[in-house]
Amino acid sequence: MIDFDAYVKYSRPGPRYTSYPTALEFSDKFDHKAYINELENRDKSRPLSLYLHLPFCRSACYFCGCNVIYTSKEDKKERYIEYLAKELELLSRHLDTNAPVLQMHFGGGTPTFYNAEQLDKIIRLIKAKFPNFMSEAEISCEIDPRFLTDEQLDVLVSHGFNRISYGVQDFDEKVQKEIHRIQPYEITKNAVDMARAKGINSINMDLIYGLPYQTLESFKTTLDKALMLSPDRLAVFNYAHVPWIKKSMRKFDEATLPSPKTKLEILKYTAEFFIKNGYKMIGMDHFAKPNDELFGALANGTLHRNFQGYTTKGGADLIGIGLTSIGEGKRYYAQNYKDMDEYEKALDSGILPYAKGVYLNDEDLLRKAVIMSLMSNFALDIKAVEAEFKIDFFDHFNGELKELEDLSEFVSVTPDKISVNETGTLIIRNIAMCFDEYMIKFKDSKNSFSKTI
């Protein structure tokens, strides 16, 4: 029996580690010239992964932490397509766009806020510059079930999209009303049925725990309904309450947010529920059916964590396209402008809309490997790290291992391996933070990261 009250002391601000170093370390020290140099001299043996950001939504979902623009104006969407074309043209001058593409993902915003004709135009623009999609490429799109038509699905399928991710968050009517996202179960079911009928065999569903008015009992009902739709994967995210960044989150009465104890109970129940019903847990917040390729990636060491969560396509250079999108190479992260005027101004000047990023030194690469292994596998092969980075692990991380001793009831350390036990997975972010050398800057800050619990 887990004493959830005892866990409350571990609720502190901390990164989700979709990158290391985190986005708070991005700056213009890694400048435009340095980014171009990375693109032009990339390792040709690495395939490409493309992320396209389509930032528009019709209205605000108050829980959302994404970079979005609210509009109902058709001309804004058309204008954005014109600037995507400019960005793609500039990318082709600095990047070998004939390189094999292993993955492409459309995120938002609401990608299907664009109509079928517009989606077709966008995809054709991309494929005109990146013609070499691999036969095994994962091509995916985030979809709001409230904005989906047969015509849009036909376009996606015709262009080889083979994975769809539906935003659900919660099926409870009271929660939906509070977060300003009314989405009855029937709408989501219809969207899932539509995709299955079109031959899309991999469907993901996003849920969020920690939202206003959620209880363990209410979330049990949401899980039951989600299971009825039999998604191939689920991502069950911890709500990141960051009202100092996202003004819409200030609309919530914080007294209605579930306590850390309740959130832990929800997380534990969720993991047990999906495992009991034939899914397996991947990392800290993903679940998948046993035949899913996530498990092959986990077994052969290619499971990767990035700004979209867990993915099978490790070893690829991620190219961010569009407003605020983030790219990732072997030694860098690069982010485009978040402001539309700055984004357009750069492109009108004939330069990529790169705003800031970070270049990873040798120590960053080492710590990234350690943290991402813990986040993905709940374990670390110490001997493999020593061999790759030519270090004595216990000497190099002497201070970090002393800090880890405070979490010894959740973590075991042998000469060969660090292992996190089942209860430790509930606080894996806290465990990973022990190896984050940048956290010292934020030890007294309450407005840097969301709470780990």
Side-chain angles (χ1 to χ4, degrees):
M1 189 72 177
I2 296 176
D3 181 4
F4 289 108
D5 286 321
Y7 271 81
V8 172
K9 66 182 179 181
Y10 299 111
S11 181
R12 53 176 287 203
R16 291 174 179 263
Y17 293 116
T18 50
S19 71
Y20 183 84
T22 70
L24 290 184
E25 303 307 319
F26 292 9
S27 75
D28 57 8
K29 290 180 181 178
F30 180 60
D31 61 18
H32 186 273
K33 182 179 179 181
Y35 175 49
I36 295 298
N37 182 64
E38 290 295 320
L39 292 179
E40 292 181 346
N41 295 285
R42 62 179 293 272
D43 181 349
K44 299 296 192 295
S45 69
R46 290 166 62 88
L48 295 176
S49 173
L50 308 179
Y51 172 72
L52 181 77
H53 192 70
L54 299 171
F56 300 110
C57 288
R58 191 181 300 277
S59 61
C61 299
Y62 296 158
F63 66 88
C64 182
C66 300
N67 290 291
V68 299
I69 296 172
Y70 308 111
T71 186
S72 59
K73 295 180 179 179
E74 200 66 22
D75 61 323
K76 282 192 174 183
K77 292 188 286 181
E78 289 290 345
R79 181 181 176 92
Y80 188 65
I81 294 174
E82 293 174 8
Y83 277 89
L84 286 176
K86 291 184 179 183
E87 183 177 358
L88 288 164
E89 171 59 32
L90 285 169
L91 267 174
S92 70
R93 299 178 190 176
H94 302 293
L95 178 70
D96 176 13
T97 55
N98 286 309
V101 176
L102 184 60
Q103 184 181 43
M104 180 169 72
H105 181 74
F106 281 18
T110 306
T112 49
F113 192 28
Y114 282 86
N115 63 39
E117 183 179 347
Q118 291 168 327
L119 283 173
D120 183 67
K121 186 176 182 180
I122 291 168
I123 299 167
R124 289 182 185 278
L125 283 171
I126 293 171
K127 289 194 170 182
K129 294 298 182 185
F130 294 90
N132 190 12
F133 276 71
M134 301 170 72
S135 59
E136 67 269 32
E138 177 187 286
I139 309 177
S140 58
C141 184
E142 296 172 10
I143 290 180
D144 182 336
R146 301 173 300 170
F147 300 98
L148 181 63
T149 66
D150 269 325
E151 293 77 17
Q152 289 170 320
L153 274 175
D154 285 338
V155 167
L156 295 178
V157 170
S158 71
H159 284 292
F161 280 72
N162 48 29
R163 173 161 290 134
I164 280 179
S165 182
Y166 287 122
V168 174
Q169 324 321 335
D170 194 305
F171 285 115
D172 186 87
E173 185 176 350
K174 185 175 183 179
V175 174
Q176 289 184 356
K177 184 177 180 181
E178 183 68 12
I179 66 177
H180 200 236
R181 186 188 175 103
I182 303 299
Q183 185 177 312
Y185 172 80
E186 290 71 25
I187 287 179
T188 302
K189 182 180 185 303
N190 182 59
V192 171
D193 291 344
M194 287 168 63
R196 296 283 192 211
K198 300 288 184 185
I200 293 178
N201 296 319
S202 184
I203 291 176
N204 178 78
M205 189 174 293
D206 288 348
L207 303 177
I208 295 180
Y209 68 97
L211 294 172
Y213 296 111
Q214 280 180 337
T215 65
L216 176 58
E217 291 306 311
S218 74
F219 205 70
K220 285 181 179 180
T221 302
T222 285
L223 295 176
D224 288 337
K225 290 183 175 180
L227 186 66
M228 289 167 59
L229 298 175
S230 191
D232 303 277
R233 294 180 187 176
L234 297 105
V236 187
F237 296 117
N238 178 4
Y239 166 59
H241 188 59
V242 287
W244 58 90
I245 298 175
K246 293 294 179 181
K247 293 181 180 179
S248 61
M249 294 179 182
R250 300 173 192 173
K251 296 179 181 292
F252 296 151
D253 177 356
E254 294 192 357
T256 67
L257 298 175
S259 68
K261 176 177 180 291
T262 299
K263 289 173 70 177
L264 284 167
E265 290 173 339
I266 290 173
L267 176 58
K268 182 175 184 291
Y269 179 86
T270 298
E272 292 173 347
F273 175 84
F274 283 123
I275 291 169
K276 181 179 69 175
N277 285 286
Y279 290 79
K280 292 188 177 181
M281 190 172 182
I282 297 289
M284 70 174 184
D285 49 25
H286 279 48
F287 301 87
K289 293 180 178 179
N291 60 348
D292 193 283
E293 64 179 351
L294 279 173
F295 295 104
L298 189 61
N300 63 29
T302 58
L303 186 66
H304 185 66
R305 183 164 173 80
N306 62 21
F307 287 91
Q308 284 78 57
Y310 293 99
T311 173
T312 62
K313 309 305 181 186
D317 286 334
L318 174 62
I319 306 299
I321 303 166
L323 188 76
T324 199
S325 63
I326 297 176
E328 176 185 356
K330 287 179 72 173
R331 276 194 173 265
Y332 73 87
Y333 293 100
Q335 183 170 24
N336 280 353
Y337 284 112
K338 294 182 179 182
D339 178 81
M340 186 66 82
D341 287 340
E342 289 182 296
Y343 173 79
E344 292 183 353
K345 182 179 178 181
L347 291 169
D348 286 338
S349 300
I351 60 174
L352 286 173
Y354 168 80
K356 59 183 179 179
V358 61
Y359 184 80
L360 278 64
N361 59 35
D362 290 346
E363 186 67 19
D364 292 331
L365 288 176
L366 166 60
R367 291 174 182 267
K368 178 181 179 180
V370 170
I371 287 171
M372 292 307 178
S373 179
L374 289 169
M375 294 296 296
S376 298
N377 308 308
F378 301 137
L380 178 73
D381 184 334
I382 291 174
K383 295 301 182 184
V385 170
E386 289 183 325
E388 180 179 356
F389 293 96
K390 307 295 187 295
I391 62 164
D392 180 310
F393 189 89
F394 290 88
D395 180 59
H396 193 95
F397 290 112
N398 179 59
E400 287 80 358
L401 291 166
K402 280 187 169 58
E403 186 178 348
L404 203 60
E405 289 175 3
D406 293 337
L407 300 166
S408 59
E409 63 183 296
F410 311 113
V411 184
S412 67
V413 181
T414 70
D416 298 327
K417 190 174 184 180
I418 295 177
S419 302
V420 179
N421 62 29
E422 185 177 348
T423 53
T425 63
L426 301 177
I427 55 167
I428 189 61
R429 289 163 67 186
N430 298 67
I431 293 167
M433 283 161 61
C434 294
F435 295 93
D436 184 342
E437 69 174 348
Y438 295 98
M439 282 306 298
I440 189 68
K441 296 190 298 185
F442 305 106
K443 64 183 181 69
D444 297 320
S445 173
K446 296 181 179 180
N447 291 350
S448 297
F449 302 103
S450 61
K451 293 287 187 68
T452 56
I453 300 172

